[in-house]
Amino acid sequence: QVQLVESGGGLVQAGGSLRLSCAPSGRTFGNYAMGWFRQAPGTEREFVAVIGRNGFNTYYADSVKGRFAISRGNARNTVYLQMNSLKPEDTAVYYCAASRRDDGLGLGSSYDYWGQGTQVTVSS
């Protein structure tokens, strides 16, 4: 069974940092675009960041630009989301996702595989 497994979530104070990891099992995703989405209680899932299939192009939601950084591991299979200067409004379940596409990557419907999510809670 193909899975994406997120880790690294937790409780942090405002202004702090966390690094989320996303590791696949069951197949490799080196040739997939990898994205992060998040969903807070009572809200819709929203796009956070994506790194393209080439491993170089990155795009961010305006709300996290300059604070978050997405990257791939050396083997291109693991994806990281470094989150700095965290704010209470960043509190959400964060999901990793993989897409075979090169466009439309801000939309959840463009992704083929999803992880189960990891909780990030930022206290004020």
Side-chain angles (χ1 to χ4, degrees), residues 2-17:
V2 177
Q3 284 186 312
L4 291 169
V5 181
E6 303 96 335
S7 62
L11 173 64
V12 64
Q13 288 189 328
S17 299

Side-chain angles (χ1 to χ4, degrees), residues 4 9 14 22-23 31 35 37-38 40 45 54 73 76 81 83 89 98 105 109 117 120:
L4 291 169
C22 173
N31 197 36
F37 287 75
R38 67 186 182 185
R45 181 178 59 195
N54 61 14
R76 292 173 53 86
L81 185 68
M83 305 186 297
E89 51 264 44
L105 294 173
S109 57
V120 171

Side-chain angles (χ1 to χ4, degrees), residues 57-124:
N57 293 340
T58 58
Y59 302 95
Y60 297 92
D62 287 342
S63 59
V64 307
K65 203 171 294 183
R67 299 188 298 122
F68 290 11
I70 188 170
S71 62
R72 284 189 187 262
N74 288 338
R76 292 173 53 86
N77 240 1
T78 302
V79 177
Y80 303 100
L81 185 68
Q82 178 66 43
M83 305 186 297
N84 300 324
S85 302
L86 283 161
K87 305 175 181 180
E89 51 264 44
D90 295 317
T91 296
V93 177
Y94 282 71
Y95 298 92
C96 173
S99 172
R100 287 169 285 195
R101 297 184 57 163
D102 292 315
D103 58 355
L105 294 173
L107 301 174
S109 57
S110 296
Y111 291 79
D112 306 290
Y113 300 96
W114 290 84
Q116 295 299 307
T118 184
Q119 177 70 46
V120 171
T121 303
V122 185
S123 63
S124 57

Side-chain angles (χ1 to χ4, degrees), residues 24-64:
S25 67
R27 67 164 298 148
T28 60
F29 287 93
N31 197 36
Y32 280 64
M34 301 296 292
W36 287 94
F37 287 75
R38 67 186 182 185
Q39 187 168 22
T43 70
E44 293 186 354
R45 181 178 59 195
E46 66 173 353
F47 167 76
V48 175
V50 63
I51 186 164
R53 294 196 299 136
N54 61 14
F56 297 107
N57 293 340
T58 58
Y59 302 95
Y60 297 92
D62 287 342
S63 59
V64 307

